[in-house]
Amino acid sequence: MYTSQCLTQSRLIQYGSAALREVASAIQALAQAEGLPAHGQSVQVRLAEGG
């Protein structure tokens, strides 16, 4: 067993407010399909906060 077999990769994506508004529905649909509703809700919160 190697150390690399125990590691997971993470990616961070940053959107400006206009770009986030453009893809918000797709992000929410994907989050719902993957069983990650809080990820979709975070988009709603960010949009409500103006960002």
Side-chain angles (χ1 to χ4, degrees):
M1 182 172 221
Y2 299 101
T3 305
S4 61
Q5 293 172 311
C6 299
L7 300 176
T8 59
Q9 292 185 2
S10 296
R11 299 213 185 339
L12 299 177
I13 300 172
Q14 185 173 348
Y15 285 95
S17 56
L20 182 59
R21 278 192 297 277
E22 279 186 37
V23 296
S25 61
I27 293 171
Q28 291 168 327
L30 181 60
Q32 190 67 33
E34 292 184 338
L36 302 167
H39 289 216
Q41 291 167 352
S42 72
V43 172
Q44 289 176 325
V45 169
R46 287 183 176 99
L47 291 174
E49 292 176 349

mmCIF file of all heavy atoms in Angstrom:
data_model
loop_
_atom_site.group_PDB
_atom_site.id
_atom_site.type_symbol
_atom_site.label_atom_id
_atom_site.label_comp_id
_atom_site.label_asym_id
_atom_site.label_seq_id
_atom_site.Cartn_x
_atom_site.Cartn_y
_atom_site.Cartn_z
ATOM 1 N N MET A 1 0.846 -1.167 0.000
ATOM 2 C CA MET A 1 0.000 0.000 0.000
ATOM 3 C C MET A 1 0.896 1.236 0.000
ATOM 4 O O MET A 1 1.878 1.310 0.718
ATOM 5 C CB MET A 1 -0.901 -0.023 1.224
ATOM 6 C CG MET A 1 -1.847 1.111 1.308
ATOM 7 S SD MET A 1 -3.007 0.866 2.654
ATOM 8 C CE MET A 1 -4.458 1.425 1.877
ATOM 9 N N TYR A 2 0.515 2.192 -0.819
ATOM 10 C CA TYR A 2 1.271 3.423 -0.944
ATOM 11 C C TYR A 2 0.499 4.585 -0.311
ATOM 12 O O TYR A 2 -0.722 4.564 -0.246
ATOM 13 C CB TYR A 2 1.538 3.751 -2.419
ATOM 14 C CG TYR A 2 2.349 2.687 -3.111
ATOM 15 C CD1 TYR A 2 1.727 1.745 -3.929
ATOM 16 C CD2 TYR A 2 3.718 2.632 -2.949
ATOM 17 C CE1 TYR A 2 2.458 0.765 -4.555
ATOM 18 C CE2 TYR A 2 4.464 1.649 -3.579
ATOM 19 C CZ TYR A 2 3.830 0.710 -4.383
ATOM 20 O OH TYR A 2 4.568 -0.254 -5.004
ATOM 21 N N THR A 3 1.214 5.581 0.121
ATOM 22 C CA THR A 3 0.591 6.776 0.690
ATOM 23 C C THR A 3 -0.385 7.394 -0.288
ATOM 24 O O THR A 3 -1.468 7.840 0.082
ATOM 25 C CB THR A 3 1.657 7.809 1.077
ATOM 26 O OG1 THR A 3 2.598 7.196 1.957
ATOM 27 C CG2 THR A 3 1.046 9.009 1.745
ATOM 28 N N SER A 4 -0.045 7.393 -1.561
ATOM 29 C CA SER A 4 -0.904 8.010 -2.577
ATOM 30 C C SER A 4 -2.260 7.324 -2.683
ATOM 31 O O SER A 4 -3.227 7.922 -3.147
ATOM 32 C CB SER A 4 -0.212 7.998 -3.933
ATOM 33 O OG SER A 4 0.048 6.661 -4.338
ATOM 34 N N GLN A 5 -2.369 6.077 -2.229
ATOM 35 C CA GLN A 5 -3.639 5.374 -2.277
ATOM 36 C C GLN A 5 -4.602 5.865 -1.198
ATOM 37 O O GLN A 5 -5.793 5.593 -1.261
ATOM 38 C CB GLN A 5 -3.415 3.868 -2.121
ATOM 39 C CG GLN A 5 -2.682 3.256 -3.307
ATOM 40 C CD GLN A 5 -2.295 1.818 -3.045
ATOM 41 O OE1 GLN A 5 -1.726 1.495 -1.996
ATOM 42 N NE2 GLN A 5 -2.597 0.957 -3.998
ATOM 43 N N CYS A 6 -4.102 6.572 -0.217
ATOM 44 C CA CYS A 6 -4.928 7.067 0.878
ATOM 45 C C CYS A 6 -5.272 8.543 0.738
ATOM 46 O O CYS A 6 -5.994 9.086 1.568
ATOM 47 C CB CYS A 6 -4.209 6.853 2.212
ATOM 48 S SG CYS A 6 -3.870 5.125 2.567
ATOM 49 N N LEU A 7 -4.760 9.193 -0.276
ATOM 50 C CA LEU A 7 -4.985 10.618 -0.449
ATOM 51 C C LEU A 7 -6.154 10.865 -1.395
ATOM 52 O O LEU A 7 -6.413 10.079 -2.294
ATOM 53 C CB LEU A 7 -3.733 11.285 -1.028
ATOM 54 C CG LEU A 7 -2.468 11.171 -0.193
ATOM 55 C CD1 LEU A 7 -1.292 11.793 -0.934
ATOM 56 C CD2 LEU A 7 -2.662 11.856 1.148
ATOM 57 N N THR A 8 -6.855 11.934 -1.172
ATOM 58 C CA THR A 8 -7.905 12.350 -2.093
ATOM 59 C C THR A 8 -7.527 13.705 -2.670
ATOM 60 O O THR A 8 -6.815 14.488 -2.041
ATOM 61 C CB THR A 8 -9.275 12.463 -1.388
ATOM 62 O OG1 THR A 8 -9.165 13.411 -0.330
ATOM 63 C CG2 THR A 8 -9.709 11.133 -0.825
ATOM 64 N N GLN A 9 -8.010 13.954 -3.862
ATOM 65 C CA GLN A 9 -7.742 15.229 -4.502
ATOM 66 C C GLN A 9 -8.920 16.159 -4.272
ATOM 67 O O GLN A 9 -10.064 15.736 -4.287
ATOM 68 C CB GLN A 9 -7.523 15.051 -5.992
ATOM 69 C CG GLN A 9 -6.253 14.319 -6.322
ATOM 70 C CD GLN A 9 -6.014 14.274 -7.827
ATOM 71 O OE1 GLN A 9 -6.779 14.813 -8.616
ATOM 72 N NE2 GLN A 9 -4.940 13.623 -8.217
ATOM 73 N N SER A 10 -8.629 17.415 -4.084
ATOM 74 C CA SER A 10 -9.658 18.443 -3.940
ATOM 75 C C SER A 10 -9.372 19.544 -4.941
ATOM 76 O O SER A 10 -8.218 19.862 -5.212
ATOM 77 C CB SER A 10 -9.649 19.042 -2.529
ATOM 78 O OG SER A 10 -9.989 18.078 -1.585
ATOM 79 N N ARG A 11 -10.438 20.102 -5.459
ATOM 80 C CA ARG A 11 -10.296 21.220 -6.376
ATOM 81 C C ARG A 11 -11.184 22.358 -5.887
ATOM 82 O O ARG A 11 -12.307 22.145 -5.476
ATOM 83 C CB ARG A 11 -10.728 20.821 -7.780
ATOM 84 C CG ARG A 11 -9.872 19.683 -8.327
ATOM 85 C CD ARG A 11 -9.698 19.804 -9.787
ATOM 86 N NE ARG A 11 -9.032 18.820 -10.561
ATOM 87 C CZ ARG A 11 -8.178 17.895 -10.232
ATOM 88 N NH1 ARG A 11 -7.849 17.738 -9.009
ATOM 89 N NH2 ARG A 11 -7.621 17.087 -11.093
ATOM 90 N N LEU A 12 -10.667 23.540 -5.936
ATOM 91 C CA LEU A 12 -11.427 24.729 -5.570
ATOM 92 C C LEU A 12 -11.689 25.528 -6.836
ATOM 93 O O LEU A 12 -10.800 25.709 -7.667
ATOM 94 C CB LEU A 12 -10.654 25.593 -4.575
ATOM 95 C CG LEU A 12 -10.322 24.941 -3.249
ATOM 96 C CD1 LEU A 12 -9.487 25.885 -2.400
ATOM 97 C CD2 LEU A 12 -11.581 24.544 -2.513
ATOM 98 N N ILE A 13 -12.912 25.988 -6.961
ATOM 99 C CA ILE A 13 -13.294 26.785 -8.116
ATOM 100 C C ILE A 13 -13.817 28.114 -7.608
ATOM 101 O O ILE A 13 -14.597 28.160 -6.667
ATOM 102 C CB ILE A 13 -14.373 26.074 -8.950
ATOM 103 C CG1 ILE A 13 -13.837 24.735 -9.449
ATOM 104 C CG2 ILE A 13 -14.818 26.948 -10.112
ATOM 105 C CD1 ILE A 13 -14.875 23.879 -10.114
ATOM 106 N N GLN A 14 -13.390 29.173 -8.222
ATOM 107 C CA GLN A 14 -13.826 30.506 -7.808
ATOM 108 C C GLN A 14 -14.565 31.160 -8.968
ATOM 109 O O GLN A 14 -14.101 31.139 -10.106
ATOM 110 C CB GLN A 14 -12.623 31.344 -7.416
ATOM 111 C CG GLN A 14 -12.998 32.688 -6.863
ATOM 112 C CD GLN A 14 -11.781 33.421 -6.320
ATOM 113 O OE1 GLN A 14 -10.707 32.860 -6.165
ATOM 114 N NE2 GLN A 14 -11.959 34.675 -6.038
ATOM 115 N N TYR A 15 -15.743 31.720 -8.664
ATOM 116 C CA TYR A 15 -16.555 32.405 -9.653
ATOM 117 C C TYR A 15 -16.774 33.842 -9.213
ATOM 118 O O TYR A 15 -16.998 34.104 -8.037
ATOM 119 C CB TYR A 15 -17.948 31.767 -9.762
ATOM 120 C CG TYR A 15 -17.993 30.453 -10.492
ATOM 121 C CD1 TYR A 15 -17.930 29.249 -9.812
ATOM 122 C CD2 TYR A 15 -18.126 30.424 -11.873
ATOM 123 C CE1 TYR A 15 -17.988 28.045 -10.484
ATOM 124 C CE2 TYR A 15 -18.190 29.222 -12.550
ATOM 125 C CZ TYR A 15 -18.121 28.036 -11.850
ATOM 126 O OH TYR A 15 -18.177 26.850 -12.519
ATOM 127 N N GLY A 16 -16.794 34.749 -10.156
ATOM 128 C CA GLY A 16 -17.267 36.096 -9.891
ATOM 129 C C GLY A 16 -18.793 36.045 -9.831
ATOM 130 O O GLY A 16 -19.407 35.041 -10.204
ATOM 131 N N SER A 17 -19.428 37.096 -9.370
ATOM 132 C CA SER A 17 -20.878 37.067 -9.182
ATOM 133 C C SER A 17 -21.621 36.863 -10.503
ATOM 134 O O SER A 17 -22.603 36.116 -10.550
ATOM 135 C CB SER A 17 -21.359 38.325 -8.469
ATOM 136 O OG SER A 17 -20.964 39.481 -9.158
ATOM 137 N N ALA A 18 -21.178 37.484 -11.583
ATOM 138 C CA ALA A 18 -21.858 37.311 -12.872
ATOM 139 C C ALA A 18 -21.726 35.872 -13.370
ATOM 140 O O ALA A 18 -22.699 35.275 -13.844
ATOM 141 C CB ALA A 18 -21.291 38.282 -13.903
ATOM 142 N N ALA A 19 -20.555 35.315 -13.268
ATOM 143 C CA ALA A 19 -20.334 33.939 -13.706
ATOM 144 C C ALA A 19 -21.134 32.953 -12.852
ATOM 145 O O ALA A 19 -21.682 31.978 -13.368
ATOM 146 C CB ALA A 19 -18.848 33.605 -13.657
ATOM 147 N N LEU A 20 -21.212 33.209 -11.558
ATOM 148 C CA LEU A 20 -21.968 32.331 -10.671
ATOM 149 C C LEU A 20 -23.448 32.350 -11.042
ATOM 150 O O LEU A 20 -24.084 31.295 -11.095
ATOM 151 C CB LEU A 20 -21.785 32.740 -9.210
ATOM 152 C CG LEU A 20 -22.505 31.864 -8.191
ATOM 153 C CD1 LEU A 20 -22.044 30.409 -8.279
ATOM 154 C CD2 LEU A 20 -22.301 32.403 -6.791
ATOM 155 N N ARG A 21 -23.979 33.526 -11.328
ATOM 156 C CA ARG A 21 -25.385 33.612 -11.738
ATOM 157 C C ARG A 21 -25.639 32.804 -13.015
ATOM 158 O O ARG A 21 -26.672 32.176 -13.164
ATOM 159 C CB ARG A 21 -25.800 35.068 -11.951
ATOM 160 C CG ARG A 21 -26.160 35.774 -10.658
ATOM 161 C CD ARG A 21 -26.833 37.114 -10.920
ATOM 162 N NE ARG A 21 -25.967 38.058 -11.624
ATOM 163 C CZ ARG A 21 -25.055 38.821 -11.036
ATOM 164 N NH1 ARG A 21 -24.883 38.766 -9.733
ATOM 165 N NH2 ARG A 21 -24.306 39.643 -11.742
ATOM 166 N N GLU A 22 -24.680 32.814 -13.936
ATOM 167 C CA GLU A 22 -24.829 32.078 -15.196
ATOM 168 C C GLU A 22 -24.926 30.576 -15.002
ATOM 169 O O GLU A 22 -25.645 29.904 -15.728
ATOM 170 C CB GLU A 22 -23.648 32.364 -16.125
ATOM 171 C CG GLU A 22 -23.744 33.650 -16.878
ATOM 172 C CD GLU A 22 -22.603 33.791 -17.875
ATOM 173 O OE1 GLU A 22 -22.204 32.771 -18.478
ATOM 174 O OE2 GLU A 22 -22.115 34.914 -18.031
ATOM 175 N N VAL A 23 -24.169 30.044 -14.057
ATOM 176 C CA VAL A 23 -24.098 28.585 -13.904
ATOM 177 C C VAL A 23 -24.805 28.072 -12.649
ATOM 178 O O VAL A 23 -24.751 26.878 -12.354
ATOM 179 C CB VAL A 23 -22.630 28.104 -13.913
ATOM 180 C CG1 VAL A 23 -21.974 28.399 -15.257
ATOM 181 C CG2 VAL A 23 -21.843 28.707 -12.778
ATOM 182 N N ALA A 24 -25.482 28.944 -11.930
ATOM 183 C CA ALA A 24 -26.093 28.560 -10.657
ATOM 184 C C ALA A 24 -27.044 27.383 -10.795
ATOM 185 O O ALA A 24 -26.984 26.428 -10.008
ATOM 186 C CB ALA A 24 -26.814 29.746 -10.029
ATOM 187 N N SER A 25 -27.917 27.407 -11.783
ATOM 188 C CA SER A 25 -28.887 26.319 -11.915
ATOM 189 C C SER A 25 -28.202 24.994 -12.237
ATOM 190 O O SER A 25 -28.612 23.938 -11.741
ATOM 191 C CB SER A 25 -29.948 26.647 -12.964
ATOM 192 O OG SER A 25 -29.362 26.824 -14.227
ATOM 193 N N ALA A 26 -27.147 25.028 -13.038
ATOM 194 C CA ALA A 26 -26.409 23.801 -13.353
ATOM 195 C C ALA A 26 -25.693 23.261 -12.117
ATOM 196 O O ALA A 26 -25.687 22.046 -11.871
ATOM 197 C CB ALA A 26 -25.403 24.060 -14.471
ATOM 198 N N ILE A 27 -25.112 24.137 -11.317
ATOM 199 C CA ILE A 27 -24.436 23.719 -10.088
ATOM 200 C C ILE A 27 -25.444 23.089 -9.134
ATOM 201 O O ILE A 27 -25.196 22.030 -8.548
ATOM 202 C CB ILE A 27 -23.722 24.898 -9.404
ATOM 203 C CG1 ILE A 27 -22.556 25.377 -10.257
ATOM 204 C CG2 ILE A 27 -23.240 24.499 -8.004
ATOM 205 C CD1 ILE A 27 -21.925 26.667 -9.755
ATOM 206 N N GLN A 28 -26.606 23.719 -9.001
ATOM 207 C CA GLN A 28 -27.624 23.200 -8.093
ATOM 208 C C GLN A 28 -28.146 21.849 -8.572
ATOM 209 O O GLN A 28 -28.342 20.940 -7.771
ATOM 210 C CB GLN A 28 -28.753 24.210 -7.939
ATOM 211 C CG GLN A 28 -28.293 25.447 -7.183
ATOM 212 C CD GLN A 28 -29.268 26.591 -7.261
ATOM 213 O OE1 GLN A 28 -29.946 26.768 -8.254
ATOM 214 N NE2 GLN A 28 -29.329 27.375 -6.189
ATOM 215 N N ALA A 29 -28.354 21.687 -9.869
ATOM 216 C CA ALA A 29 -28.823 20.407 -10.412
ATOM 217 C C ALA A 29 -27.791 19.310 -10.194
ATOM 218 O O ALA A 29 -28.130 18.183 -9.804
ATOM 219 C CB ALA A 29 -29.139 20.556 -11.892
ATOM 220 N N LEU A 30 -26.530 19.618 -10.438
ATOM 221 C CA LEU A 30 -25.466 18.636 -10.240
ATOM 222 C C LEU A 30 -25.346 18.252 -8.773
ATOM 223 O O LEU A 30 -25.222 17.073 -8.435
ATOM 224 C CB LEU A 30 -24.137 19.190 -10.756
ATOM 225 C CG LEU A 30 -22.926 18.270 -10.645
ATOM 226 C CD1 LEU A 30 -23.138 16.987 -11.425
ATOM 227 C CD2 LEU A 30 -21.680 18.991 -11.134
ATOM 228 N N ALA A 31 -25.406 19.236 -7.900
ATOM 229 C CA ALA A 31 -25.317 18.965 -6.462
ATOM 230 C C ALA A 31 -26.466 18.063 -6.019
ATOM 231 O O ALA A 31 -26.260 17.119 -5.252
ATOM 232 C CB ALA A 31 -25.334 20.277 -5.678
ATOM 233 N N GLN A 32 -27.662 18.326 -6.521
ATOM 234 C CA GLN A 32 -28.819 17.507 -6.170
ATOM 235 C C GLN A 32 -28.636 16.081 -6.690
ATOM 236 O O GLN A 32 -28.893 15.109 -5.976
ATOM 237 C CB GLN A 32 -30.096 18.124 -6.741
ATOM 238 C CG GLN A 32 -31.362 17.499 -6.242
ATOM 239 C CD GLN A 32 -31.584 17.754 -4.752
ATOM 240 O OE1 GLN A 32 -31.215 18.795 -4.231
ATOM 241 N NE2 GLN A 32 -32.161 16.795 -4.074
ATOM 242 N N ALA A 33 -28.181 15.945 -7.936
ATOM 243 C CA ALA A 33 -27.977 14.631 -8.545
ATOM 244 C C ALA A 33 -26.919 13.818 -7.808
ATOM 245 O O ALA A 33 -27.002 12.585 -7.736
ATOM 246 C CB ALA A 33 -27.581 14.788 -10.014
ATOM 247 N N GLU A 34 -25.920 14.488 -7.245
ATOM 248 C CA GLU A 34 -24.850 13.803 -6.524
ATOM 249 C C GLU A 34 -25.174 13.599 -5.047
ATOM 250 O O GLU A 34 -24.365 13.072 -4.301
ATOM 251 C CB GLU A 34 -23.543 14.580 -6.668
ATOM 252 C CG GLU A 34 -22.998 14.549 -8.078
ATOM 253 C CD GLU A 34 -21.659 15.230 -8.221
ATOM 254 O OE1 GLU A 34 -21.315 16.087 -7.376
ATOM 255 O OE2 GLU A 34 -20.941 14.907 -9.179
ATOM 256 N N GLY A 35 -26.362 14.046 -4.626
ATOM 257 C CA GLY A 35 -26.739 13.874 -3.222
ATOM 258 C C GLY A 35 -26.028 14.838 -2.295
ATOM 259 O O GLY A 35 -25.777 14.521 -1.138
ATOM 260 N N LEU A 36 -25.692 16.011 -2.808
ATOM 261 C CA LEU A 36 -24.986 17.022 -2.031
ATOM 262 C C LEU A 36 -25.813 18.310 -1.977
ATOM 263 O O LEU A 36 -25.397 19.353 -2.491
ATOM 264 C CB LEU A 36 -23.601 17.292 -2.644
ATOM 265 C CG LEU A 36 -22.698 16.067 -2.757
ATOM 266 C CD1 LEU A 36 -21.504 16.359 -3.635
ATOM 267 C CD2 LEU A 36 -22.271 15.597 -1.382
ATOM 268 N N PRO A 37 -26.995 18.254 -1.371
ATOM 269 C CA PRO A 37 -27.888 19.415 -1.400
ATOM 270 C C PRO A 37 -27.294 20.675 -0.769
ATOM 271 O O PRO A 37 -27.606 21.777 -1.201
ATOM 272 C CB PRO A 37 -29.130 18.942 -0.644
ATOM 273 C CG PRO A 37 -28.664 17.802 0.197
ATOM 274 C CD PRO A 37 -27.547 17.165 -0.578
ATOM 275 N N ALA A 38 -26.430 20.534 0.214
ATOM 276 C CA ALA A 38 -25.826 21.713 0.851
ATOM 277 C C ALA A 38 -24.946 22.480 -0.135
ATOM 278 O O ALA A 38 -24.827 23.703 -0.044
ATOM 279 C CB ALA A 38 -25.025 21.323 2.082
ATOM 280 N N HIS A 39 -24.352 21.791 -1.094
ATOM 281 C CA HIS A 39 -23.541 22.474 -2.105
ATOM 282 C C HIS A 39 -24.427 23.356 -2.966
ATOM 283 O O HIS A 39 -24.065 24.490 -3.290
ATOM 284 C CB HIS A 39 -22.796 21.463 -2.971
ATOM 285 C CG HIS A 39 -21.684 20.775 -2.261
ATOM 286 N ND1 HIS A 39 -20.517 20.434 -2.886
ATOM 287 C CD2 HIS A 39 -21.554 20.351 -0.988
ATOM 288 C CE1 HIS A 39 -19.709 19.826 -2.010
ATOM 289 N NE2 HIS A 39 -20.330 19.776 -0.853
ATOM 290 N N GLY A 40 -25.591 22.841 -3.337
ATOM 291 C CA GLY A 40 -26.537 23.645 -4.101
ATOM 292 C C GLY A 40 -27.070 24.807 -3.289
ATOM 293 O O GLY A 40 -27.234 25.923 -3.803
ATOM 294 N N GLN A 41 -27.324 24.570 -2.027
ATOM 295 C CA GLN A 41 -27.825 25.630 -1.155
ATOM 296 C C GLN A 41 -26.781 26.728 -0.976
ATOM 297 O O GLN A 41 -27.128 27.901 -0.833
ATOM 298 C CB GLN A 41 -28.240 25.060 0.198
ATOM 299 C CG GLN A 41 -29.469 24.177 0.105
ATOM 300 C CD GLN A 41 -29.707 23.365 1.362
ATOM 301 O OE1 GLN A 41 -28.879 23.339 2.274
ATOM 302 N NE2 GLN A 41 -30.835 22.680 1.407
ATOM 303 N N SER A 42 -25.520 26.365 -0.989
ATOM 304 C CA SER A 42 -24.478 27.380 -0.827
ATOM 305 C C SER A 42 -24.491 28.370 -1.993
ATOM 306 O O SER A 42 -24.194 29.542 -1.818
ATOM 307 C CB SER A 42 -23.100 26.740 -0.675
ATOM 308 O OG SER A 42 -22.647 26.193 -1.900
ATOM 309 N N VAL A 43 -24.868 27.893 -3.175
ATOM 310 C CA VAL A 43 -24.990 28.787 -4.320
ATOM 311 C C VAL A 43 -26.115 29.784 -4.061
ATOM 312 O O VAL A 43 -25.962 30.988 -4.301
ATOM 313 C CB VAL A 43 -25.245 27.996 -5.620
ATOM 314 C CG1 VAL A 43 -25.579 28.924 -6.777
ATOM 315 C CG2 VAL A 43 -24.035 27.149 -5.956
ATOM 316 N N GLN A 44 -27.250 29.292 -3.555
ATOM 317 C CA GLN A 44 -28.371 30.183 -3.249
ATOM 318 C C GLN A 44 -27.961 31.244 -2.229
ATOM 319 O O GLN A 44 -28.303 32.416 -2.368
ATOM 320 C CB GLN A 44 -29.549 29.388 -2.694
ATOM 321 C CG GLN A 44 -30.228 28.527 -3.731
ATOM 322 C CD GLN A 44 -31.332 27.691 -3.125
ATOM 323 O OE1 GLN A 44 -31.244 27.224 -1.996
ATOM 324 N NE2 GLN A 44 -32.390 27.477 -3.902
ATOM 325 N N VAL A 45 -27.222 30.840 -1.213
ATOM 326 C CA VAL A 45 -26.784 31.779 -0.173
ATOM 327 C C VAL A 45 -25.864 32.831 -0.769
ATOM 328 O O VAL A 45 -26.004 34.016 -0.522
ATOM 329 C CB VAL A 45 -26.091 31.031 0.989
ATOM 330 C CG1 VAL A 45 -25.388 31.994 1.930
ATOM 331 C CG2 VAL A 45 -27.095 30.158 1.727
ATOM 332 N N ARG A 46 -24.909 32.391 -1.587
ATOM 333 C CA ARG A 46 -23.972 33.350 -2.189
ATOM 334 C C ARG A 46 -24.691 34.345 -3.089
ATOM 335 O O ARG A 46 -24.365 35.524 -3.109
ATOM 336 C CB ARG A 46 -22.883 32.600 -2.948
ATOM 337 C CG ARG A 46 -21.901 31.926 -2.006
ATOM 338 C CD ARG A 46 -20.776 31.249 -2.759
ATOM 339 N NE ARG A 46 -19.835 30.723 -1.828
ATOM 340 C CZ ARG A 46 -19.786 29.439 -1.435
ATOM 341 N NH1 ARG A 46 -20.636 28.593 -1.921
ATOM 342 N NH2 ARG A 46 -18.890 29.044 -0.568
ATOM 343 N N LEU A 47 -25.663 33.857 -3.863
ATOM 344 C CA LEU A 47 -26.425 34.760 -4.726
ATOM 345 C C LEU A 47 -27.251 35.735 -3.902
ATOM 346 O O LEU A 47 -27.352 36.912 -4.237
ATOM 347 C CB LEU A 47 -27.312 33.973 -5.679
ATOM 348 C CG LEU A 47 -26.572 33.181 -6.764
ATOM 349 C CD1 LEU A 47 -27.554 32.322 -7.544
ATOM 350 C CD2 LEU A 47 -25.792 34.107 -7.681
ATOM 351 N N ALA A 48 -27.829 35.258 -2.800
ATOM 352 C CA ALA A 48 -28.628 36.124 -1.926
ATOM 353 C C ALA A 48 -27.767 37.198 -1.266
ATOM 354 O O ALA A 48 -28.229 38.300 -0.990
ATOM 355 C CB ALA A 48 -29.342 35.297 -0.872
ATOM 356 N N GLU A 49 -26.490 36.874 -1.034
ATOM 357 C CA GLU A 49 -25.561 37.823 -0.415
ATOM 358 C C GLU A 49 -24.965 38.777 -1.442
ATOM 359 O O GLU A 49 -24.126 39.600 -1.103
ATOM 360 C CB GLU A 49 -24.449 37.063 0.311
ATOM 361 C CG GLU A 49 -24.917 36.303 1.536
ATOM 362 C CD GLU A 49 -23.819 35.486 2.184
ATOM 363 O OE1 GLU A 49 -22.730 35.334 1.579
ATOM 364 O OE2 GLU A 49 -24.059 34.991 3.294
ATOM 365 N N GLY A 50 -25.346 38.603 -2.703
ATOM 366 C CA GLY A 50 -24.865 39.494 -3.737
ATOM 367 C C GLY A 50 -23.610 39.030 -4.423
ATOM 368 O O GLY A 50 -22.974 39.768 -5.155
ATOM 369 N N GLY A 51 -23.226 37.811 -4.199
ATOM 370 C CA GLY A 51 -21.980 37.373 -4.797
ATOM 371 C C GLY A 51 -22.104 36.125 -5.513
ATOM 372 O O GLY A 51 -21.464 35.588 -6.263
#
